[in-house]
């Protein structure tokens, strides 16, 4: 899996706005399945675990589990030996693997095994954060918010958060973050110990770590050794951690109760029905239309020859992958059974709010406010999509050139978000920097954009008239792009330096188009901004209402902070038959044979050579019902004894709808088995040293 | 695949009624994809093949292919050596394999390999029919139909057909059948040479022939060696056939253009939209509800203990399989894109009919007549389902006992179909015969039936009132079944012999219930009969109209007679990724390992022992886009050189909707590879003798 489980927007959690609401008002013990099982460590659902699994972890069990798990940039990881060995996914350690490759080699393709500790290679810039404590700071944040206007309140809140974080960061070795849960229903200070000396120990070939490539991405059965080991060093020596997960040499078996401990990045389970309908009916269809057009465009390019095929195949794969993910997210929103659960919850929740006079006044209008704003957004969604500067990098540059003097002349608060504060200088710097423009893809992508615009807008639309001027999309794109000189840094610099007069005087066809459409585009952008601000302010109220009504008995949306999710190792019904709970080394060789060992189903030579040594029945990957999402990549899967049995690296395609509503009938998390990892370390990679360390034999 | 590809109703083709319509009126060259590619040998689509595949078979090629294929009871097969070796599916040769097993052994479980010809074991009653000629007899059949009333016309037609068949059968060695195509649009005399001495040569273990069992049935990827070899003998010696398929030792590869030659049993592609809507909205939902209730009932029984589990697991598997198939058929009818194609065809076709004054008068009203009858059927479909004698074998016997004297008193033409002619005596004989009644399953099944009745009918329904009498379904079933004595042959005999007075006097609770409900049940049955007769008469008109409008350019619905279907060997998109076009021996061992070698995923010991000798990358099964259905089991897959490359044994789950509308985006036929068969024969079964013969080395 390439992009799915890496967190995309961890910073998001710090941008939401707090609104006055005091501590939770009970509801403890409620378990609402569709909110999933991403529990925080300061509110573990002990009663639910006890009733569901007859499992009652001690405080020490939970503390040890928390301290054995670490967060790395964009991903999760775990400490798995008493010498600071850390396990994560290969796709989470790419930056390190690439950085430590010598100039004449490529560990990404070839893999890497350090023969001893001295050969372990420092990963530049890589860090690992271990959560030390969680402190509720809701009252402190709220207490600082006294102003009347929303912008002033946001500023007060942000500065209170910054003050709390700064005070905490002054403690020796602490790295601190205030996390907003329930969209501002609760604020917690997360204090981490940050490790900064991590060294690469072992990485397999990308062919086996990402076996099956984009086609198999987000699916199961699966055959990926998506693992990489790094080691934490402290003062030049391997860390001797106080806590680490012990290793299970046998892995998981069907029916096992297991936990996943990691940092899920972002979910949308608190979204209202109206927000989900907008995604389903407006936003995702638009995204999918664009993906389809862009894929067609790149395929057209790739068909021109072998060079072009190689050049664009990654664009195609990446778009197809995004298309697959988006279709998956949307599938849940289109599923009437899933949406009925959501509707039932919302109905019940709104009824509870309306039945409590305090809640009613504070939160009662939020759902309708959101619904109204979404409806208005839908009215001009097509105009926002097309009456702008999309479809071509150079048209984007033209838009920025036209806007720059205009936005600079406005007071900060009246500007478009990208031009606020330091944004203005960033936009300018970007325009003055040399750009790589791929003229071939510019042509097909702008054509695709104009084709979509023509399909979606009436012929009288001002953008269409300005852009097409009676020409076909193909002819218009060709004329606009062959006429423009904006690929030249000198040309752009002259326009930026010349300011408004230079822009007005330009007859560069893209500048002319951008100039013509800019007033309209800016009006749409400001209107959408206003509506989205309304939506997020009301969404925060709803988050607070959930916390007020249910407390921590419902897990908050994902925040790229540590969670513990319970689940069961279990196969699932698939395509008329049963998918097994695990795959085997046999299965890996089978998939290779069945695709004639062609990429992305080729097996590395080292594996072919090892074939006769391998226990072909050993488990390679397995699935469980744990609740994960992007950011959970690299999370350990542990059993009730606290032993690590697996390593999360993906979800199956049936799990994509879990972004909005959690279900576990067919949705599964996909992990590498610790049994399979040992088999590969010992028999494929000759890495007995690492295997012994994992098994505690060193 | 257990039941899917065996033809169920070959006799059906002889029961449809001919209506006056002369020879086809052109339309040649039209190719309408949704009618599929089940071509007859007297109207091969040479132009379509040429344009689609640049393939122009000679008359000799076609004749040799036709003579190399044979039909066996319920299935298809092919002659694959110059010594009369015949290949079919294991599941098509069950009767023979069981019959030739010695008392102390079971070839079904253990497999069988004849070490030499002398050891080949005669299959009692098994025949193979080789089609010698096809003669159009439409004019002869139609010419004999001169009467005015429908029943008299049917009798004239049937006697004309019987006369044609009898005359043909008098020729030495000929076995003849008149086949009605296009529901009576065309009649053809099929003259076969019948072989009656077939001997078992080789059969694998059922564990490998039906590997994956019911779960994997109707799915792909797949790993079944569903093959059996028999040999045709003539005058005590192996047949030296004039024609046989040569064997491809390499099998098929992706993209290959291939034909399937076999005997598809039954399709419903000529059904009107109204008929499909009835299936989709009334009949299949009722069937599925019943399957679900029965599965629940048997699972409840099976949960009682190990003996019960063994006793009922086959019932459960078989019901789940039927459920899977029915859901698959219905899936196509629920697919709006598929139904839109059907609607577009029907609209176009009806417009053509209405535009031709002759056609309009003859056929124009047929669609509306069918729609009206289906609507009326839907009105009392629930009453037909429940106000009768279903859900219990003993209640069925009670119904027959009550009806017998009553129906016997009526003139033949006024009777229910089951009691017409010799039917009356059959019903009586059945009642007087000893019956095996399973009281445990009777109880849960009748409960399930009453539960469904209660769910579907108003509380005031007379059947419900008579059957439940205020009790729960459980209590009513218990009381009815513990009170009845109908399991006793003596009790039934006394009631049958005693006639109407005995029936009236009986206070057996099931007889009382049957007596109470009989008048209502009979009225429903007669009304449904009238409507179904209307539907079939009008469906025949539509079949004739299709033939009149399109001629043989559209293949007729399946008739369990020989067809040749074109297709391409090709993988398909599946569950977010790609299914390969083939599976491998590795894949077989993988599936076993991934289910811990538990049934139905266990590999026979002989295979485990052979593991290290096998080429694990050899293809085992593969898929292609050929158009097949029940009856095609055992069909050879041949390449353009006329070599056999595979053996059809199933379709994937995505192909189930093809029953009504053919598509080939994801629907695939599933075959055993000839390469895999050779590998298994030589390395698992020590059957080099057979492998050499197939390869022409003997």
């Amino acid at each position: 899996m390439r992009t799915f489980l890496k967190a995309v927007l961890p910073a998001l959690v710090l941008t939401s706005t707090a609104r006055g609401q005091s501590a939770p008002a009970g509801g403890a013990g409620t378990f609402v399945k569709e909110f999933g099982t991403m529990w925080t460590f300061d509110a573990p659902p002990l009663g639910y675990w006890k009733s569901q699994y007859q499992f009652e972890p001690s405080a020490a069990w939970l503390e040890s589990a928390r301290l054995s798990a670490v967060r790395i940039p964009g991903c999760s990881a775990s400490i798995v030996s008493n010498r600071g060995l850390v396990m994560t996914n290969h796709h989470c350690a790419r930056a390190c693997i690439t950085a430590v490759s010598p100039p004449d080699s490529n560990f990404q393709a070839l893999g890497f095994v350090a023969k001893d500790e001295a050969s372990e290679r420092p990963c530049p810039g890589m860090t690992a954060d271990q959560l030390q404590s969680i402190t509720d700071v809701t009252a402190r944040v709220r207490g600082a918010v006294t102003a009347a206007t929303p912008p002033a309140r946001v500023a007060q809140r942000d500065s209170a958060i910054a003050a709390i974080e700064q005070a905490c960061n002054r403690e020796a070795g602490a790295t601190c973050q205030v996390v907003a849960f329930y969209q501002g229903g609760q604020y917690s200070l997360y204090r981490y110990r940050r490790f900064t000396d991590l060294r690469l120990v072992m990485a397999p070939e990308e062919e086996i770590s990402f076996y099956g490539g984009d086609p198999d991405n987000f699916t199961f059965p699966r055959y990926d050794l998506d693992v990489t080991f790094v080691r934490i060093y402290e003062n030049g020596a391997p860390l001797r951690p106080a806590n680490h997960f012990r290793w299970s040499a046998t892995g998981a078996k069907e029916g096992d109760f297991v936990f996943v401990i990691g940092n899920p990045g972002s979910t949308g389970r608190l979204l209202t029905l109206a927000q989900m309908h907008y995604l389903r009916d407006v936003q995702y269809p638009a995204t999918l239309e664009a993906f389809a057009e862009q894929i067609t465009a790149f395929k057209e390019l790739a068909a021109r020859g072998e060079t072009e095929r190689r050049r664009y195949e990654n664009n195609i794969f990446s778009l197809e992958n995004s298309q697959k993910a988006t279709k998956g997210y949307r599938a849940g929103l289109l599923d009437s059974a899933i949406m009925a659960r959501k509707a039932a919850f919302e109905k019940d929740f709104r009824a509870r709010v309306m039945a409590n006079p305090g809640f009613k006044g504070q939160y009662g209008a939020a759902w309708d406010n959101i619904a109204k704003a979404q409806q208005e957004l839908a009215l001009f969604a097509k105009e926002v999509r097309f009456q702008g500067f999309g479809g071509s990098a150079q048209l984007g540059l033209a838009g920025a050139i036209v806007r720059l003097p205009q936005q600079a002349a406005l007071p900060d608060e009246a500007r478009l978000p990208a031009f606020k504060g330091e944004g203005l200088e960033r936009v300018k710097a970007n325009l003055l920097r040399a750009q790589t423009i791929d003229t071939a893809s510019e042509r097909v992508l702008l054509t695709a954009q104009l084709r979509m615009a023509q399909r979606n807008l009436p012929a009288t639309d001002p953008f269409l008239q300005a852009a097409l001027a009676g020409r076909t999309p193909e002819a218009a794109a060709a004329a606009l792009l062959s006429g423009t000189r904006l690929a030249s840094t000198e040309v752009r610099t002259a326009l930026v330096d010349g300011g408004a007069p230079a822009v007005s005087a330009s007859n560069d066809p893209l500048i002319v188009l951008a100039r013509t459409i800019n007033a309209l585009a800016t009006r749409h952008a400001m209107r959408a901004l206003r509506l989205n601000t309304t939506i997020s302010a009301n969404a925060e109220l709803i988050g607070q209402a959930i916390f007020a009504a249910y407390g921590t008995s419902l897990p908050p949306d994902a925040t790229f902070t540590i969670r513990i999710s319970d689940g069961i190792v279990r196969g699932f019904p698939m395509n008329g038959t049963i998918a097994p709970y695990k795959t085997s080394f046999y299965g890996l060789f089978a998939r290779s044979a069945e695709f004639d060992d062609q990429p992305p189903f080729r097996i590395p030579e080292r594996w072919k050579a090892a074939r006769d040594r391998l226990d072909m029945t050993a488990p390679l990957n397995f699935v469980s019902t744990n609740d994960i999402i992007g950011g959970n990549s690299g999370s350990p899967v542990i059993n009730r004894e606290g032993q690590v049995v697996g390593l999360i690296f993906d979800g199956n395609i049936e799990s994509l709808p879990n972004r909005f509503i959690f279900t576990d009938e067919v949705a599964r998390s996909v992990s590498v088995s610790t049994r399979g990892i040992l088999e590969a370390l010992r028999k494929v990679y000759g890495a007995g040293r690492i295997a012994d360390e994992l098994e505690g034999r060193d």
Side-chain angles (χ1 to χ4, degrees), chain A:
Chain A
M1 186 233 22
R2 182 166 279 172
T3 54
F4 173 52
L5 288 184
K6 287 191 77 164
V8 184
L9 294 169
L12 252 190
V13 299
L14 291 177
T15 61
S16 52
T17 311
R19 293 293 286 263
Q21 164 56 27
S22 60
T30 316
F31 176 66
V32 182
K33 187 176 173 186
E34 54 262 41
F35 285 84
T37 60
M38 294 176 176
W39 311 102
T40 58
F41 271 82
D42 57 342
L46 299 173
Y48 157 69
W49 286 343
K50 185 177 173 184
S51 70
Q52 188 80 3
Y53 310 106
Q54 296 77 54
F55 179 71
E56 297 177 81
S58 64
W61 189 101
L62 284 166
E63 186 188 14
S64 178
R66 169 171 53 78
L67 291 168
S68 301
V70 291
R71 185 174 71 173
I72 62 173
C75 283
S76 302
S78 61
I79 307 174
V80 288
S81 87
N82 61 3
R83 293 182 63 80
L85 204 55
V86 167
M87 175 170 73
T88 188
N89 291 145
H90 185 275
H91 75 268
C92 294
R94 266 161 196 270
C96 168
I97 298 167
T98 301
V100 304
S101 294
D104 61 344
S105 192
N106 177 358
F107 294 156
Q108 194 73 26
L110 300 175
F112 171 79
V113 183
K115 65 178 192 305
D116 51 28
E117 283 178 4
S119 312
E120 294 172 3
R121 302 196 174 205
C123 298
M126 191 169 181
T127 55
D129 293 340
Q130 183 188 45
L131 182 63
Q132 304 297 311
S133 67
I134 303 175
T135 313
D136 189 328
V137 293
T138 312
R140 284 168 66 190
V141 173
R142 293 264 166 76
V145 177
T146 55
T149 68
R153 294 175 67 87
V154 168
Q156 286 178 324
R157 181 209 56 185
D158 289 351
S159 92
I161 287 174
I164 295 168
E165 289 179 345
Q166 280 159 21
C168 175
N169 280 329
R170 277 194 291 273
E171 296 172 36
T175 298
C176 304
Q177 182 189 13
V178 171
V179 186
F181 293 104
Y182 305 102
Q183 303 183 125
Q186 186 187 36
Y187 290 91
S188 296
L189 174 63
Y190 274 48
R191 191 168 57 85
Y192 295 94
R193 177 176 177 192
R194 171 161 289 182
F195 298 100
T196 56
D197 184 356
L198 282 83
R199 304 189 189 174
L200 185 64
V201 177
M202 186 271 163
E205 305 87 341
E206 187 173 23
E207 267 184 349
I208 193 71
S209 74
F210 191 49
Y211 187 82
D214 288 277
D216 278 2
N217 197 8
F218 307 121
T219 72
F220 187 85
R222 195 70 165 283
Y223 315 91
D224 290 7
L225 191 77
D226 193 355
V227 66
T228 286
F229 290 98
V230 295
R231 189 187 302 282
I232 298 177
Y233 281 71
E234 213 175 29
N235 306 319
L239 177 75
R240 304 301 302 233
N243 295 278
H244 72 87
F245 290 121
R246 280 164 303 125
W247 189 265
S248 165
T250 50
K253 60 180 197 307
E254 181 130 53
D256 279 359
F257 158 53
V258 289
F259 288 110
V260 168
I261 300 172
N263 301 273
S266 156
T267 51
R269 293 174 189 164
L270 292 186
L271 294 184
T272 66
L273 269 179
Q275 289 174 290
M276 292 189 182
H277 290 159
Y278 184 84
L279 286 170
R280 181 189 69 190
D281 300 333
V282 182
Q283 187 167 316
Y284 283 153
T287 310
L288 288 170
E289 185 187 15
F291 286 151
E293 281 287 346
Q294 288 159 14
I295 289 167
T296 305
F298 279 113
K299 284 191 170 167
E300 188 191 313
L301 279 183
R304 290 183 190 167
E306 184 55 21
T307 314
E308 287 84 354
R309 192 189 65 71
R310 284 204 203 139
R311 180 159 187 184
Y312 295 109
E313 75 176 6
N314 273 340
N315 297 76
I316 294 168
F317 283 155
S318 163
L319 282 163
E320 285 179 341
N321 229 330
S322 302
Q323 185 184 49
K324 199 199 282 195
T326 307
K327 281 184 181 172
Y329 302 148
R330 186 161 180 253
L333 303 175
L334 286 167
D335 184 317
S336 56
I338 289 181
M339 289 302 271
R341 289 191 211 177
K342 174 72 193 173
F345 174 80
E346 187 160 304
K347 190 176 167 193
D348 175 71
F349 178 29
R350 291 182 71 166
R352 285 194 194 204
V353 166
M354 299 312 270
N356 176 320
F359 291 175
K360 183 178 171 184
Q362 208 158 7
Y363 311 122
W367 287 269
D368 290 341
N369 290 343
I370 289 176
K372 251 179 274 167
Q374 296 285 185
Q375 276 158 18
E376 192 179 338
L377 274 173
L379 288 179
F380 66 110
K382 287 185 173 174
E383 285 75 9
V384 169
R385 261 180 88 190
F386 297 111
Q387 294 174 349
F389 314 121
S392 145
Q394 292 171 99
L395 180 54
L397 294 169
I401 290 167
V402 168
R403 278 179 170 170
L404 193 62
Q406 200 178 52
Q407 292 284 315
L410 296 173
D412 197 78
E413 65 272 19
R415 291 182 193 162
L416 290 165
F419 294 86
K420 274 187 202 289
E422 296 168 0
L424 194 82
E425 284 309 308
R426 273 199 300 271
V427 170
K428 189 171 169 184
N430 184 53
L431 287 171
L432 302 180
R433 207 174 53 212
Q435 308 270 346
T436 315
I437 304 290
D438 175 359
T439 51
S441 69
E442 281 279 283
R443 180 78 69 93
V444 295
L445 290 175
L446 184 56
T447 303
Q449 177 79 2
L450 296 176
R451 210 182 284 135
M452 282 189 285
Q454 200 176 39
R455 188 185 303 141
N456 283 280
L457 299 172
T460 55
D461 177 86
F463 170 79
L464 268 191
Q465 294 194 332
L468 297 183
R471 300 166 293 196
T472 64
E474 289 75 9
L480 288 164
L481 294 170
S482 65
T484 188
R485 292 289 162 270
L486 293 182
S488 152
T489 309
E490 291 67 37
V491 170
R492 293 196 307 274
T493 305
L495 283 163
V496 169
D497 291 349
V503 170
S504 297
S506 170
N507 56 9
D508 185 287
L510 289 179
I511 294 287
V512 172
L513 175 58
R515 227 166 41 208
T516 312
I517 212 66
N518 180 40
L520 202 52
T522 305
R523 204 156 62 237
H524 293 323
M526 294 304 288
R527 185 179 174 200
L529 181 65
R530 180 178 56 75
L531 292 165
N532 281 316
T533 305
T534 300
I535 290 168
S536 68
N538 284 281
E540 286 163 32
L541 289 177
I542 288 170
Q544 292 168 27
I546 286 209
F547 187 62
Y550 298 92
T552 56
S553 68
L554 299 185
D557 261 324
T559 46
F560 195 51
T561 53
I562 192 167
R563 304 294 179 93
I564 177 166
S565 163
D566 49 275
I568 300 286
V569 176
R570 187 177 284 159
F572 57 98
M574 189 195 80
N575 223 53
T577 182
I578 322 165
Y581 80 95
K582 66 177 174 186
T583 61
S584 63
F585 285 59
Y586 265 134
L588 168 67
F589 280 83
R591 198 141 175 91
S592 158
E594 291 162 9
F595 284 100
D596 297 316
D597 204 38
Q598 290 302 300
F601 302 105
R602 192 164 56 194
I603 294 180
E605 289 309 316
R606 185 144 46 175
W607 283 72
K608 288 174 191 157
R611 191 200 93 134
D612 289 341
R613 292 193 296 274
L614 291 169
D615 173 358
M616 298 289 275
T617 66
L620 182 48
N621 294 165
F622 69 90
V623 284
S624 61
T625 61
N626 301 84
D627 183 13
I628 60 157
I629 205 155
N632 268 116
S633 271
S635 299
V637 185
I638 64 169
N639 61 23
R640 61 173 73 212
E641 283 78 37
Q643 296 173 311
V644 58
V645 296
L647 168 65
I648 291 286
F649 73 99
D650 203 359
N652 66 356
I653 197 154
E654 294 88 341
S655 74
L656 293 172
N658 280 6
R659 173 169 290 275
F660 301 111
I661 301 172
F662 179 76
T663 60
D664 64 5
E665 287 78 10
V666 292
R668 293 292 180 273
S669 300
V670 186
S671 300
V672 191
S673 166
T674 53
R675 167 76 185 85
I677 291 172
L678 280 188
E679 186 73 13
L681 285 175
R682 292 195 188 281
K683 299 189 185 164
V684 180
Y685 295 100
R689 172 180 84 95
I690 305 165
D692 285 345
E693 182 178 342
L694 292 169
E695 293 200 77
R697 295 192 195 169
D698 59 327

